[in-house]
Amino acid sequence: ATEYFDNSIKSQDQWKQLHHFVFHFTINGVPPTKYILSYLRSFKLEWREAARYAEILYKESRWSKAMYIYQKAACLTMIPEVSDEETRELFLKVSSLKQRIAGKSIPVEKFVIRKSRKYVNDPDGKLPFPAVELLYTWNAFLMIRNNKEIIQQFLTLIENGLEEIEKTKVGNKLYVDEWCLGKLIQGVCFRYLEQEGEAVKCFVAIKEREDEIVLDHYVAAYSYVEWAMIYFSKGQYDHAKKKLEETRKNYKSYSLESRLHFRIHSALEQIKAIKNSQKKI
């Protein structure tokens, strides 16, 4: 897939914006059916190449430059050899690139600006696996949910990250935030590896500590929906519906809230359609 997309880009250079459909996606945050080069590289843990495509988008795309420079910085952060000074310089740029459309901020820009400030301003605010978090929040895990090998490599990466986070338990005021984020992505990996019991343990652990979260409150809401979707996948639609509705009712004013509401609405509509079809049988 990567070779075909690379060839499509090399075929012409007069219509740069056409390249961006290959580099990334910009349609309401929902992945189209195509794979995108930046994320293909990320799926292979080729972080430097993923960062290169983010840099191209930053220079050429008319969409969110704040998002693209954050994406580049997030990918470079995953490379141990890259210095903090290099990534810090990129994270510092993010907030200056904020834009408004019809007088309103773009939700994803608010998210990456807050993440960048956490990295730059807080001595305890290092981002443990920002590129993986970005993949998750952009629903990119849906693209690879059937590829057990890729999911397993992300699970290993996250579990290694959780071990490092555990070392900061004493003295890190954002320890619970980072730990819960790790457990969220770990749970998602377990879910796609069909280890639902292990996934539920992750989501229950987040639920038990959600009141201790300082900044990343979105993690609690998203994990509750992931928990609901396990019930959905097992055909336990009443349990799934209950948790989805509880999420919408009980969690407010968190990052990327509208994105999660779209997902909740879609799942509830699917449950409604399934139940209606069952009545007709």
Side-chain angles (χ1 to χ4, degrees):
T2 304
E3 182 180 354
Y4 277 105
F5 284 130
D6 276 330
N7 288 338
S8 76
I9 290 168
K10 293 173 184 176
S11 67
Q12 63 87 26
D13 61 2
Q14 294 178 340
W15 296 88
K16 294 286 188 182
Q17 295 298 315
L18 291 179
H19 293 175
H20 305 154
F21 285 101
V22 178
F23 292 147
H24 199 21
F25 51 84
T26 59
I27 307 173
N28 297 326
V30 179
T33 55
K34 296 179 180 179
Y35 284 103
I36 299 91
L37 275 170
S38 179
Y39 289 109
L40 278 172
R41 296 297 188 181
S42 296
F43 296 154
K44 297 167 70 176
L45 305 188
E46 295 176 355
W47 301 117
R48 196 172 292 279
E49 277 297 292
R52 183 174 72 85
Y53 286 118
E55 172 71 11
I56 293 171
L57 287 162
Y58 168 69
K59 290 180 177 178
E60 298 180 359
S61 178
R62 298 173 184 172
W63 195 62
S64 173
K65 291 186 178 297
M67 167 63 191
Y68 293 136
I69 204 68
Y70 177 86
Q71 184 179 344
K72 177 184 177 181
C75 290
L76 291 177
T77 300
M78 305 295 294
I79 306 171
E81 296 79 21
V82 174
S83 67
D84 281 347
E85 289 74 15
E86 182 178 351
T87 52
R88 180 176 294 273
E89 183 179 347
L90 293 171
F91 282 123
L92 280 168
K93 288 183 180 180
V94 176
S95 61
S96 66
L97 298 169
K98 178 176 63 176
Q99 60 183 330
R100 289 180 175 272
I101 297 177
K104 294 185 178 181
S105 300
I106 300 173
V108 71
E109 287 195 346
K110 293 168 68 175
F111 177 74
V112 298
I113 287 169
R114 185 175 60 77
K115 285 287 180 176
S116 298
R117 287 173 177 166
K118 175 182 175 183
Y119 184 94
V120 171
N121 298 330
D122 197 316
D124 298 324
K126 299 303 181 187
L127 306 176
F129 18 72
V132 184
E133 179 185 25
L134 205 56
L135 288 172
Y136 172 73
T137 55
W138 278 94
N139 291 329
F141 271 73
L142 289 174
M143 302 179 192
I144 56 172
R145 64 187 182 276
N146 295 321
N147 191 316
K148 300 294 191 288
E149 182 179 351
I150 294 178
I151 293 294
Q152 182 61 55
Q153 74 173 2
F154 278 118
L155 177 60
T156 300
L157 188 156
I158 294 301
E159 289 179 337
N160 290 339
L162 281 167
E163 290 180 5
E164 293 301 312
I165 290 168
E166 200 63 30
K167 296 176 183 178
T168 71
K169 186 174 183 179
V170 177
N172 180 4
K173 67 181 181 180
L174 297 175
Y175 160 76
V176 175
D177 289 52
E178 296 171 0
W179 183 85
C180 285
L181 172 60
K183 298 303 285 186
L184 169 60
I185 301 175
Q186 183 185 40
V188 171
C189 290
F190 277 134
R191 177 188 163 204
Y192 290 139
L193 290 172
E194 299 177 2
Q195 299 180 38
E196 289 88 353
E198 293 301 313
V200 169
K201 288 179 184 178
C202 293
F203 304 141
V204 170
I206 295 169
K207 181 65 178 175
E208 290 174 346
R209 304 197 71 172
E210 65 181 13
D211 291 339
E212 302 175 55
I213 294 174
V214 179
L215 296 175
D216 290 329
H217 300 287
Y218 88 93
V219 170
Y222 274 68
S223 69
Y224 213 62
V225 168
E226 295 293 350
W227 191 354
M229 296 310 294
I230 289 177
Y231 284 117
F232 181 95
S233 64
K234 295 169 69 175
Q236 298 177 17
Y237 302 117
D238 289 337
H239 289 298
K241 180 180 178 182
K242 180 181 178 182
K243 287 199 175 295
L244 290 167
E245 290 176 339
E246 286 175 350
T247 305
R248 193 162 56 183
K249 177 182 177 181
N250 297 333
Y251 295 93
K252 305 289 183 182
S253 303
Y254 52 89
S255 296
L256 306 177
E257 183 174 356
S258 60
R259 184 183 296 270
L260 189 61
H261 279 195
F262 279 124
R263 189 175 170 195
I264 292 170
H265 176 75
S266 176
L268 289 172
E269 287 297 304
Q270 289 180 65
I271 291 171
K272 182 180 177 180
I274 291 169
K275 285 183 168 291
N276 286 339
S277 66
Q278 289 175 340
K279 290 178 182 178
K280 296 176 181 179
I281 297 176

